[in-house]
């Protein structure tokens, strides 16, 4: 509407000033500028002449007109921010027969989780904004071992869409992976900005330690502002992926469907029989078959009465789990992001 009014106002004023010598010379010069890109530039120049005349005759304010045009006409050379295309590019990377269980989905979720889970509400530091895991020492932290795989996997996407920040790309990849593996739709929005160096890396130790119990779980998640229900829902991400001895020191998957997002993790945790694994590695638990495992932090959800009620809920109601997980994961990825104030 603003552009239409400017065009009409400019045309009217230009008509009234048709015999104005300067305007005729200006229009004549632009008419000779050629076709194609030159014609487009010439058209803008002619429009500029009309606006100049409109300003002279008092029909419009030229300064306001220019601002309106800047808002209405796309900037030359500016890339369109097509997040749908980014989503598609991420989806095309997920399937990989030669990686783990045939999908990069779980490691992309882990990247988004670990990039976001460093947030501290008290100091308003850490979180997904910044993508500081690009830098040491954060990239070398024990909790982030193996995540170079996910970061490198997304580098070609970043190269194809250089306008997207790493912060947005990593979190979007986590959301896309969850949805592609059968999970809920994750509310996601862009707006994160990348940091430029190690000074912004959060201190080590903010991510959950799988060897500890309920008190530690509440301390870590509580620091970010989550309640018990949200904590259990977020840990339900263990429905996908597996542990690796060369990364976390632990070994094995939580479920028999590690590339399908579901409530199977809670069903296994609640209904299976777990015993300490006899091996040279750190304490973990295994089922009778020895093919599935649980970490001490997983078992804490079963042994803590307040946590257990949500384990029981999610084990029998996948819809409730999906709803709660989607809300909590979206919240996790937005913690600490300085969103612009609403207009």
């Amino acid at each position: 509407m603003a552009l239409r009014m400017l065009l009409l106002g400019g045309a009217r004023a230009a008509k009234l000033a048709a015999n104005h010598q300067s305007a005729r010379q200006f229009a004549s010069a632009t008419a000779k500028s050629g076709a194609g890109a030159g014609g487009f530039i010439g058209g803008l120049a002619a429009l500029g002449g009309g606006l100049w005349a409109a300003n002279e005759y008092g029909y419009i304010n030229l300064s306001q007109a220019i601002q309106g045009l800047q808002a209405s006409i796309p900037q030359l050379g500016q890339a369109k921010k097509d997040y749908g295309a980014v989503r598609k590019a991420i989806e095309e990377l997920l399937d990989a027969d030669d990686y783990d269980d045939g999908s990069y989905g779980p490691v992309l979720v882990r990247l988004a989780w670990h990039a976001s889970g460093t947030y501290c509400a008290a100091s308003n530091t850490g979180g997904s904004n910044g993508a500081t895991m690009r830098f040491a020492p954060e990239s070398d932290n024990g909790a982030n071992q193996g995540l170079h795989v996910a970061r490198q996997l997304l580098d070609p996407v970043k190269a194809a869409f250089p306008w997207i920040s790493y912060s947005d790309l990593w979190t979007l990849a986590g959301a896309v992976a969850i949805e592609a593996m059968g999970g809920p739709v994750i509310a996601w929005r862009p707006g994160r900005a990348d940091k430029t160096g190690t000074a912004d890396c959060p201190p080590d130790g903010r991510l959950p330690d799988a060897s500890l119990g309920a008190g530690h779980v509440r301390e870590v998640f509580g620091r970010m502002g989550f309640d018990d229900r949200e904590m259990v829902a977020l840990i339900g991400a263990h429905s996908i992926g597996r542990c690796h001895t060369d990364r976390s020191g632990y070994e094995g998957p939580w479920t028999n469907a590690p590339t399908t997002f579901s409530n199977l993790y809670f069903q296994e945790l609640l209904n299976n029989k777990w015993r300490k694994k006899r091996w040279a590695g750190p304490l973990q638990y295994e089922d009778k078959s020895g093919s599935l495992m649980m970490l001490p932090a997983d078992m804490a959800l079963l042994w803590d009465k307040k946590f257990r009620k949500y384990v029981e809920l999610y084990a029998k109601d996948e819809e409730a789990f999906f709803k709660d997980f989607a809300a909590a994961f979206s919240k996790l990825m937005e913690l600490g992001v300085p969103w612009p104030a609403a207009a």
Side-chain angles (χ1 to χ4, degrees):
M1 180 62 72
L3 178 59
R4 182 170 179 269
M5 291 177 66
L6 289 172
L7 292 172
L8 290 174
R12 182 179 180 187
K15 183 177 180 180
L16 293 174
N19 61 349
H20 192 285
Q21 185 65 29
S22 297
R24 286 203 308 272
Q25 292 175 347
F26 193 88
S28 176
T30 59
K32 298 177 181 179
S33 61
F40 175 70
I41 299 300
L44 290 180
L47 178 59
L51 293 175
W52 173 85
N55 182 69
E56 288 293 300
Y57 283 84
Y59 284 98
I60 63 171
N61 181 289
L62 185 57
S63 176
Q64 293 178 354
I66 292 173
Q67 292 177 5
L69 284 173
Q70 288 176 335
S72 302
I73 300 176
Q75 298 297 308
L76 295 177
Q78 179 177 336
K80 178 183 178 182
K81 294 184 177 181
D82 187 351
Y83 291 99
V86 180
R87 280 180 170 270
K88 184 176 180 180
I90 294 168
E91 289 173 353
E92 291 175 349
L93 294 174
L94 296 180
D95 293 337
D97 292 336
D98 59 346
Y99 181 76
D100 264 10
D101 299 290
S103 174
Y104 283 110
V107 76
L108 290 180
V109 175
R110 182 170 170 243
L111 174 63
W113 211 118
H114 283 218
S116 305
T118 59
Y119 181 68
C120 175
S123 61
N124 194 31
T125 58
S128 66
N129 195 57
T132 52
M133 203 192 301
R134 291 172 294 145
F135 312 115
E138 187 177 355
S139 59
D140 298 329
N141 290 347
N144 293 329
Q145 292 302 301
L147 287 178
H148 66 283
V149 173
R151 298 194 299 269
Q152 292 172 5
L153 181 71
L154 293 173
D155 280 345
V157 181
K158 172 64 173 172
F161 305 96
W163 46 263
I164 191 171
S165 67
Y166 281 102
S167 309
D168 277 344
L169 178 59
W170 292 358
T171 51
L172 178 58
V176 169
I178 288 168
E179 295 168 22
M181 290 185 288
V185 173
I186 306 297
W188 179 91
R189 55 177 169 165
R192 299 162 187 81
D194 293 334
K195 302 296 184 180
T196 58
T198 61
D200 295 300
C201 288
D204 193 8
R206 287 191 176 181
L207 293 169
D209 185 333
S211 69
L212 300 178
H216 172 74
V217 172
R218 285 195 174 91
E219 178 184 353
V220 169
F221 285 82
R223 185 198 68 234
M224 294 185 277
F226 292 109
D227 60 27
D228 282 2
R229 183 167 184 149
E230 292 171 317
M231 295 176 196
V232 176
L234 285 171
I235 295 174
H238 286 173
S239 63
I240 55 173
R242 63 169 58 238
C243 290
H244 306 76
T245 53
D246 61 342
R247 299 178 186 179
S248 64
Y250 299 101
E251 178 63 30
W254 290 270
T255 77
N256 286 312
T259 61
T260 299
F261 197 96
S262 70
N263 67 337
L264 190 55
Y265 163 75
F266 296 108
Q267 293 179 2
E268 293 288 2
L269 180 60
L270 185 64
N271 300 323
N272 216 329
K273 301 296 182 182
W274 300 100
R275 64 190 181 191
K276 292 181 180 180
K277 180 180 177 69
R278 294 182 178 179
W279 71 320
L283 174 63
Q284 68 178 68
Y285 296 82
E286 64 181 3
D287 68 343
K288 185 177 180 180
S289 71
S291 61
L292 300 181
M293 68 93 208
M294 290 287 166
L295 303 169
D298 296 312
M299 300 303 294
L301 303 186
L302 197 61
W303 297 332
D304 184 277
K305 292 181 180 180
K306 293 181 179 179
F307 283 152
R308 185 184 177 105
K309 65 181 180 181
Y310 298 117
V311 172
E312 294 173 345
L313 169 64
Y314 297 147
K316 67 181 180 181
D317 191 341
E318 186 175 71
E319 184 178 348
F321 167 52
F322 275 25
K323 179 181 178 181
D324 289 352
F325 179 85
F329 195 72
S330 179
K331 174 181 174 179
L332 172 69
M333 294 194 297
E334 294 200 351
L335 293 174
V337 180
W339 303 110

